[in-house]
Amino acid sequence: MDPSSPIQLVKGFKDILPGESELWQYIERTAISLFEDFGFREIRIPIMEKTELFARGIGEVTDIVEKEMYTFSDRGGDMLTLRPEATASICRSYIQHKMAAQDPVRKFYTIGPMFRRERPQKGRYRQFYQIDAEVLGIAGPHADSELILLAHTLFQRLAVTDTVCRLNSLGCPVCRPKFKAALSALLDSAASSLCPDCLRRKDKNPLRVLDCKAAGCRAAMEDAPMIIDFLCDECRCHFEAVTDTLSQLNVPFEIDKHLVRGLDYYTRTAFEIQTHALGAQSAVAGGGRYDGLVEVLGGPPTPAIGFAVGFDRLAEIVGATTVIPARPVDLFIAALGDTARRLAFEWSMTLKLAGITTEMIVDDKSLKAQMKQANRLGANQVLIMGEAELADGTVVLRDMATKAQRDIPVEAVLTTVTDLFSGIRNKTCV
Ligand code: HAM
């Protein structure tokens, strides 16, 4: 490769540029405000963890752990992994900081990048972002419906109205073995149609076969038993209570008996929120209950439930109909001559510190070039100051919308501009 050629970013990774980042911030603000209304608090977890955390938490025989993790041994020989999701890390933190001892019920949210080495395509990246919410310490079904309501409301607030919540129950360690046995019997009889991955998985983790996209496996699974038909009494009551309270809350959902999730930790409620806006990559959020995970990771028995929204996918949908403008430039100072530029620089710093977005060109440029730049930036007002104006003790303030100009005494510039923008801000706040 030519050593002077520009370096491109890593395949499946992407930049979020100014113009898009305003939309991302808007979505983040909407999510955070909603999470806080529901009593969630932010947790920030590291981007890298010991590989074992995900292997144990997500499951050794899953696509994520077998094929997709960015795992490497660091210079000290430790096996580390860039986090493919946030749930296992949040549980690790809950255990490590002995949170259960002070108050076992915790509601967390976190927003940040995750890493999975999947085949990149529209809506699927190798570094992608999730908006993640987790409730630890509550076993009852109300936590499930509250969380699903929360996810549903987030989409509503962002004007994404065509979402469908697909819901299933994945049972628990009491009822799942019976289901697994029935599934394994079918898999044995259909072994010749299974893909090599599923042939290998059918004994270790038969549930994963239900998830496989290969045509042979799909056909073999058409008559597969459904876990919902195997639920024990407790899981069935739990599921009925979730659907009942969701109906009570007017949260639309569809029971999807085929829904299984790609991570092994789920128990009972599992759900995905889908939209037509994305084509094939239609799941914009996924989650469920994971009552055994904290214990699997070495903590006390702790029921839990959570979900993660695919931020990139959500931003694509919201961005198709919503434009969040960048913050406009309040004032542009067009200064001509060294003395004027020196004073303009001082004023522009003072005004920025006072919260008024102020721009200028510090180089020697014609008034025409400076006005062009003010226009390009969409400045609300332009202050025009040359040596002659300064000698007179006045400068010119031009309203770029009305084109009206007025003379301002030099000593009154800062207060006039500050008053003007506090007036404009107060008006826009009403
Ligand atoms: P997940 O279904 O693997 O669940 O991911 C949640 C969402 O992240 C997906 O519905 C999708 O929108 C987005 N997503 C996943 N992979 C990609 C990708 N490669 N590119 C773009 N977006 C992607 C989890 O991660 C669980 N930790 C959710 C959870 C939280 N369960 C309980 N608590």
Side-chain angles (χ1 to χ4, degrees):
M1 165 151 351
D2 174 0
S4 65
S5 65
I7 296 166
Q8 305 284 315
L9 47 61
V10 179
K11 189 175 171 197
F13 287 55
K14 66 174 184 188
D15 300 314
I16 297 156
L17 303 176
E20 288 168 276
S21 57
E22 291 80 7
L23 179 77
W24 282 63
Q25 287 173 356
Y26 162 69
I27 294 174
E28 260 170 19
R29 281 196 302 272
T30 308
I32 291 171
S33 141
L34 183 63
F35 287 147
E36 288 181 349
D37 289 346
F38 275 70
F40 284 68
R41 298 185 59 195
E42 187 182 18
I43 182 166
R44 297 193 188 198
I45 41 175
I47 262 165
M48 206 157 58
E49 300 268 5
K50 292 184 180 157
T51 303
E52 194 196 344
L53 173 70
F54 303 115
R56 239 208 276 172
I58 297 171
E60 296 272 9
V61 189
T62 56
D63 272 353
I64 297 179
V65 173
E66 284 184 332
K67 301 182 191 165
E68 295 170 0
M69 293 201 309
Y70 282 92
T71 294
F72 59 97
S73 104
D74 79 352
R75 286 164 195 265
D78 292 329
M79 287 309 286
L80 302 176
T81 294
L82 294 180
R83 61 182 190 192
E85 59 114 45
T87 313
S89 301
I90 290 177
C91 291
R92 194 255 324 123
S93 179
Y94 179 86
I95 298 164
Q96 182 162 354
H97 300 286
K98 300 190 172 43
M99 295 192 205
Q102 298 137 35
D103 179 2
V105 177
R106 302 286 174 133
K107 297 180 182 181
F108 301 111
Y109 72 86
T110 197
I111 302 175
M114 311 293 156
F115 304 84
R116 295 183 196 174
R117 201 177 184 288
E118 294 189 80
R119 200 163 49 79
Q121 61 184 68
K122 186 172 156 39
R124 197 201 282 156
Y125 308 96
R126 290 179 171 177
Q127 175 177 324
F128 60 98
Y129 290 73
Q130 284 186 344
I131 301 173
D132 183 279
E134 312 286 350
V135 177
L136 284 93
I138 306 181
H142 288 84
D144 308 30
S145 20
E146 180 174 342
L147 206 79
I148 294 171
L149 169 74
L150 175 60
H152 172 72
T153 309
L154 177 59
F155 293 111
Q156 297 285 309
R157 291 221 175 145
L158 293 166
V160 181
T161 49
D162 80 328
T163 53
V164 178
C165 175
R166 293 169 53 224
L167 192 66
N168 197 11
S169 174
L170 301 181
C172 70
V174 173
C175 45
R176 207 177 291 169
K178 268 189 239 151
F179 167 70
K180 271 191 178 170
L183 183 60
S184 292
L186 179 89
L187 291 174
D188 285 338
S189 65
S192 57
S193 340
L194 300 182
C195 72
D197 269 348
C198 288
L199 263 184
R200 186 173 43 79
R201 289 169 167 183
K202 81 177 175 53
D203 299 319
K204 286 187 181 160
N205 196 355
L207 252 78
R208 289 278 66 85
V209 183
L210 294 169
D211 217 10
C212 183
K213 304 284 179 285
C217 301
R218 284 197 156 197
M221 287 302 97
E222 253 167 33
D223 297 322
M226 307 220 205
I227 190 148
I228 209 159
D229 299 326
F230 287 75
L231 297 183
C232 61
D233 285 350
E234 280 190 27
C235 285
R236 201 167 23 76
C237 284
H238 186 99
F239 191 59
E240 280 169 9
V242 174
T243 54
D244 183 43
T245 42
L246 283 176
S247 302
Q248 184 194 359
L249 297 171
N250 287 320
V251 177
F253 65 89
E254 279 172 15
I255 296 178
D256 179 351
K257 296 181 173 185
H258 295 280
L259 179 80
V260 283
R261 306 264 302 123
L263 306 96
D264 274 355
Y265 49 61
Y266 291 111
T267 51
R268 295 192 169 167
T269 311
F271 62 95
E272 273 184 8
I273 296 184
Q274 304 208 327
T275 148
H276 296 299
L278 281 169
Q281 297 299 324
S282 57
V284 75
R289 191 162 266 292
Y290 50 96
D291 290 342
L293 180 59
V294 173
E295 212 175 347
V296 163
L297 296 175
T302 307
I305 180 160
F307 70 81
V309 175
F311 199 159
D312 311 69
R313 295 180 188 179
L314 180 58
E316 244 164 72
I317 302 168
V318 178
T321 52
T322 312
V323 176
I324 306 295
R327 181 169 161 175
V329 169
D330 295 325
L331 179 74
F332 186 89
I333 309 183
L336 294 158
D338 287 344
T339 318
R341 272 198 298 275
R342 191 179 153 75
L343 185 58
F345 179 68
E346 184 188 321
W347 282 351
S348 75
M349 294 302 129
T350 306
L351 290 168
K352 282 181 192 190
L353 290 171
I356 294 165
T357 320
T358 308
E359 296 292 345
M360 66 173 287
I361 300 176
V362 287
D363 301 326
D364 187 9
K365 287 275 174 309
S366 69
L367 183 59
K368 196 173 160 201
Q370 297 196 55
M371 292 308 286
K372 218 168 155 186
Q373 177 67 353
N375 266 319
R376 206 176 294 135
L377 293 172
N380 183 299
Q381 306 280 316
V382 177
L383 197 66
I384 302 163
M385 51 196 284
E387 306 286 331
E389 282 86 355
L390 284 186
D392 270 3
T394 58
V395 295
V396 174
L397 187 65
R398 180 180 169 87
D399 185 311
M400 295 295 275
T402 64
K403 313 264 185 273
Q405 298 200 164
R406 58 183 162 136
D407 291 340
I408 315 275
V410 167
E411 63 281 2
V413 164
L414 290 177
T415 47
T416 306
V417 171
T418 316
D419 290 351
L420 178 69
F421 284 102
S422 67
I424 291 175
R425 298 249 153 78
N426 286 343
K427 243 194 234 159
T428 45
C429 286
V430 175

